[in-house]
């Protein structure tokens, strides 16, 4: 687990598919006044073991294990996309370990979607990238984010994850829904949705309606990465949420 600094309530950052803990460093900068900030590499990503099983429940167990290692009381979990799902599942399975959840742009029912939709795009990337500048140029508006997702090897920069592992992880989302997970959440929940999300419409608002203490925000102008695409709006929403949660 990566420690970003700060003291007090543990705040654990969970990245999205193909990301890693380091992608959160810009957010961690302003989170430190609220608690002790950590980032966790999900299995198959970054420096975490690249071994299955690749199930949501196993990822939640990993998060719970990390929280127990901190031994600092219930944590605030902040997750992007896949990390949001893992935060939901951890809160549902281990309510004693989770104080609150921020979920960014994930929907609980994506049944019927397949990884084949993305495979061609991912495999068209010019890997290895020759430099971090090449990464930033290729990915444009989200280039800074993807620069944090790669690692340098002898021949250039590669994604810090194996695409075949990622396909297996994402395939589960197309086979099942997570409404039972959502309905088991008992802690405060903030859902941050991009205005131009690729997630099924209306579901994130419905998640908020099914959780007793939940808020839902649509971030204008953003797509799947509100925390990078509209950082000031994202920060304002999260800081307001934390101020309320941590004062209870």
């Amino acid at each position: 687990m990566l420690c970003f600094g700060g003291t007090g309530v543990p705040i654990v950052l969970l990245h999205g598919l193909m990301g890693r803990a380091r992608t959160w460093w810009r957010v961690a900068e302003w989170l430190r006044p609220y608690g002790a900030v950590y980032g966790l590499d999900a299995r198959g990503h970054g420096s975490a073991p690249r071994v299955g099983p690749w199930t949501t429940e196993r990822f939640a167990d990993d998060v719970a294990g990390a929280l127990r290692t901190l031994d600092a009381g219930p944590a605030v979990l902040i997750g992007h996309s896949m990390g949001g799902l893992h935060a939901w599942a951890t809160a549902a399975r281990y309510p004693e370990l989770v104080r609150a959840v921020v979920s960014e742009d994930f929907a609980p029912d994506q049944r019927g979607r397949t990884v084949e939709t993305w495979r061609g795009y991912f495999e068209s990337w010019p890997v290895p990238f020759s430099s971090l500048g090449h990464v930033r140029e290729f990915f444009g508006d989200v280039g800074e984010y993807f620069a944090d997702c790669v690692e340098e090897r002898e021949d250039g920069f590669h994604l810090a994850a194996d695409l075949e592992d990622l396909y297996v992880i994402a395939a589960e989302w197309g086979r099942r829904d997570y409404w039972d997970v959502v309905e088991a959440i008992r802690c405060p929940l903030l859902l941050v949705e991009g205005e131009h999300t690729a997630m099924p419409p209306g579901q994130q608002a419905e998640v908020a309606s099914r959780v007793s203490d939940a808020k839902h925000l649509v971030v204008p102008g953003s797509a799947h990465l509100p925390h990078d695409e509209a950082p000031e709006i994202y920060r304002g929403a999260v800081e307001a949420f934390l101020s309320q949660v941590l004062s209870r």
Side-chain angles (χ1 to χ4, degrees):
M1 190 181 305
L2 179 63
C3 179
F4 288 108
T7 59
V9 174
I11 301 173
V12 179
L13 304 168
L14 306 176
H15 61 79
L17 190 72
M18 76 178 55
R20 59 176 174 170
R22 294 185 186 279
T23 62
W24 284 110
W25 71 268
R26 288 174 288 276
V27 172
E29 290 285 313
W30 52 261
L31 276 175
R32 280 196 291 269
Y34 294 92
V37 185
Y38 301 90
L40 181 65
D41 283 343
R43 64 175 54 233
H45 296 74
S47 61
R50 297 189 180 182
V51 294
W54 308 109
T55 64
T56 298
E57 288 74 18
R58 183 58 182 268
F59 284 110
D61 293 346
D62 290 343
V63 177
L67 297 181
R68 290 195 181 102
T69 298
L70 292 177
D71 192 25
V76 175
L77 301 181
I78 299 179
H80 167 243
S81 190
M82 176 187 78
L85 171 62
H86 296 169
W88 293 350
T90 306
R93 288 168 67 82
Y94 303 99
E96 73 282 3
L97 296 178
V98 182
R99 184 165 181 168
V101 168
V102 177
S103 167
E104 181 185 1
D105 215 54
F106 194 86
D109 188 352
Q110 301 178 54
R111 287 175 294 174
R113 294 188 173 191
T114 72
V115 294
E116 299 308 316
T117 305
W118 315 321
R119 187 186 292 267
Y121 169 61
F122 292 159
E123 295 181 359
S124 74
W125 293 357
V127 177
F129 293 95
S130 58
S131 67
L132 290 177
H134 186 195
V135 175
R136 294 185 180 101
E137 179 182 75
F138 181 79
F139 289 105
D141 290 345
V142 291
E144 288 296 332
Y145 174 82
F146 277 99
D148 292 327
C149 294
V150 298
E151 61 185 7
E152 186 172 15
R153 302 176 190 168
E154 287 187 5
D155 59 345
F157 288 84
H158 295 254
L159 192 66
D162 188 309
L163 280 176
E164 292 303 321
D165 295 338
L166 305 187
Y167 295 148
V168 176
I169 293 168
E172 183 192 60
W173 309 339
R175 294 194 302 267
R176 59 181 287 196
D177 71 76
Y178 297 94
W179 288 116
D180 59 333
V181 172
V182 166
E183 290 170 354
I185 296 172
R186 298 290 180 264
C187 66
L189 170 65
L190 171 65
L191 295 118
V192 180
E193 179 176 1
E195 179 185 12
H196 305 297
T197 181
M199 293 289 153
Q203 289 193 22
Q204 295 180 69
E206 186 175 350
V207 170
S209 74
R210 295 197 188 191
V211 176
S212 61
D213 187 359
K215 298 178 180 179
H216 173 235
L217 172 69
V218 176
V219 179
S222 67
H224 190 52
L225 276 164
H227 73 267
D228 264 8
E229 296 161 335
E232 292 184 1
I233 297 174
Y234 177 86
R235 176 177 178 174
V238 173
E239 287 191 321
F241 178 72
L242 290 177
S243 295
Q244 292 181 347
V245 166
L246 299 181
S247 67
R248 296 179 184 179

